[in-house]
Every structure is written in C-alpha cells, then in structure tokens.
C-alpha cells in the first residue's frame, strides 16, 4: 500500500504450472487439470497450449488448446464449458467481436495452415 505495507498470499500453484491471471481471476494448468478461480476441470491428457483469459463485455472467458487432439476448449469464469466446445482447432486462439454484429468470434488455426472462425451464439 501507500505506506509501504506488504500483504502476501500463497497462491494454489506450483512452479511447474502454467499460470495466467487478472486482478480477479487466477487460471492455472498442470498435467490435465485446468483450474479457474476455485473450480477444477479435468481434461484428457495431451499437449496443451498455455491457457488464455479474455475479458469481453465484463465477462471472463478462458481458452486452452489440446494440440495433439486438435481441440479448442472455451470456458466461462465458473469453469463451465461454452456450448459447442471443444471444437476443432490446432493453435492458441483469439476471441473477440471481429465484425459488426453482437456475437463473438473465435479464431484458430485448422489443418494445412487454414484459419477457422467460429461464431458464438
């Protein structure tokens, strides 16, 4: 704080975890366990990208990609999967509103260097 006082809190992660965070959300991934805030989702074993957090219209979305199985996962801030996911994809993703409607789009790499765009309902 402004008076030089420090408060430390031990986070529920280890050095080997992939970690990404905002001021209100901690996401970690280790082996096949994706932890979003206090909830844990067990995924199939595989080779995963580092998780990403997207904040869009005051909502938090978490993405992670299984590069071996070529599956893109999309979760909300309560670790609930978004309808229609996992979907096919082989890279980390970008999530946003890329056109002029109110629906979000998710962009990832497909096969043979193709680009896939998924529109969320």
């Amino acid at each position: 704080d402004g008076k030089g006082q420090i408060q430390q809190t031990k986070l529920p992660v280890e050095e080997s975890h992939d970690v990404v965070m905002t001021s209100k959300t901690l996401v970690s991934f280790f082996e096949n366990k994706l932890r979003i805030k206090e909830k844990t989702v067990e995924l199939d074993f595989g080779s995963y990208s580092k998780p990403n957090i997207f904040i869009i219209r005051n909502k938090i979305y978490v993405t992670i990609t299984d590069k071996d199985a070529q599956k893109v996962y999309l979760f909300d801030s309560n670790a609930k999967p978004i309808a229609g996911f996992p979907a096919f994809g082989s890279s980390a993703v970008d999530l946003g509103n890329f056109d002029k409607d109110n629906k979000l789009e998710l962009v990832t790499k497909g096969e043979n260097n193709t680009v896939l765009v998924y529109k969320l309902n």
Side-chain angles (χ1 to χ4, degrees):
D1 65 16
K3 296 178 182 177
Q5 300 298 314
I6 297 173
Q7 179 180 353
Q8 293 182 356
T9 303
K10 178 149 175 54
L11 298 176
V13 297
E14 301 295 327
E15 189 175 315
S16 58
H17 290 193
D18 284 328
V19 176
V20 62
M21 61 193 319
T22 67
S23 61
K24 295 182 181 182
T25 304
L26 171 68
V27 175
S28 66
F29 183 74
F30 179 69
E31 292 179 350
N32 69 323
K33 293 179 179 71
L34 178 67
R35 182 180 173 108
I36 302 171
K37 294 183 180 177
E38 300 298 320
K39 301 197 171 139
T40 301
V41 177
E42 283 197 39
L43 303 173
D44 293 336
F45 283 99
S47 175
Y48 286 87
S49 65
K50 185 175 179 178
N52 282 315
I53 298 174
F54 295 90
I55 302 172
I56 302 168
R57 295 187 207 121
N58 293 321
K59 288 181 122 181
I60 294 172
Y61 298 92
V62 175
T63 64
I64 192 165
T65 302
D66 182 342
K67 296 178 278 187
D68 291 339
Q70 298 185 331
K71 290 182 182 177
V72 173
Y73 293 85
L74 178 62
F75 297 94
D76 68 11
S77 62
N78 294 312
K80 293 185 181 176
I82 302 297
F85 287 87
F88 178 75
S90 61
S91 69
V93 306
D94 195 6
L95 180 68
N97 187 359
F98 303 123
D99 56 17
K100 296 181 186 197
D101 64 11
N102 283 331
K103 296 180 180 175
L104 297 179
E105 290 82 28
L106 182 141
V107 178
T108 187
K109 180 181 170 185
E111 293 178 325
N112 301 322
N113 294 322
T114 60
V115 175
L116 301 174
V117 180
Y118 293 100
K119 187 174 287 282
L120 281 64
N121 290 327

